Amino acid sequence: VDEKSFIHESCIIKDGVVIENSVIGEKCRIEERVSIRDSVILSGTRLKSGAQLQSCVVGKNCLLGESVAIRKGAMLGDKSHIADFSRM
C-alpha cells in the first residue's frame, strides 16, 4: 500500500495485495494477490483472489470473482457481480 492511498480501517486485506493511488471504502474485503491501481472501491465490496483493477470505479456491495481483470475507465454500479476469470 502506497502513501497516496486511503483504506478505511474496517477493511480486511489479505497477504500479497498491492494498492497504489486508490481509495478503499469501509467494510471491503480484499483477498490474496489482488492488485488495485488508480481506482476507487466503495463500501462493502469483496474482491476475490487474483483480481486486477486499473483506473476504475467499483460501486457499493459488489462482488468481483477470482482473477477478474477490470481495466481503465470501467465503472461498475452498486451490487454488481462479476464472474470468476472475467475481463472488462
Side-chain angles (χ1 to χ4, degrees):
V1 178
D2 70 358
E3 66 280 349
K4 294 179 183 177
S5 296
F6 171 81
I7 301 169
H8 193 275
E9 62 187 21
S10 64
C11 293
I12 297 171
I13 299 176
K14 300 287 184 151
D15 293 332
V17 172
V18 174
I19 300 173
E20 296 177 356
N21 195 36
S22 296
V23 175
I24 312 297
E26 66 182 326
K27 298 181 182 174
C28 289
R29 181 179 177 92
I30 302 172
E31 295 184 4
E32 296 87 356
R33 302 178 322 278
V34 169
S35 173
I36 303 169
R37 292 183 167 88
D38 303 316
S39 298
V40 176
I41 313 299
L42 298 181
S43 63
T45 289
R46 179 178 176 196
L47 306 177
K48 289 189 175 182
S49 63
Q52 305 288 312
L53 285 72
Q54 175 70 43
S55 303
C56 63
V57 177
V58 178
K60 294 179 182 178
N61 301 307
C62 294
L63 175 61
L64 278 64
E66 185 175 340
S67 297
V68 163
I70 308 295
R71 299 295 175 212
K72 188 174 185 177
M75 297 181 72
L76 302 178
D78 294 348
K79 300 182 182 178
S80 293
H81 288 246
I82 308 300
D84 292 350
F85 306 104
S86 295
R87 303 282 183 251
M88 295 183 68

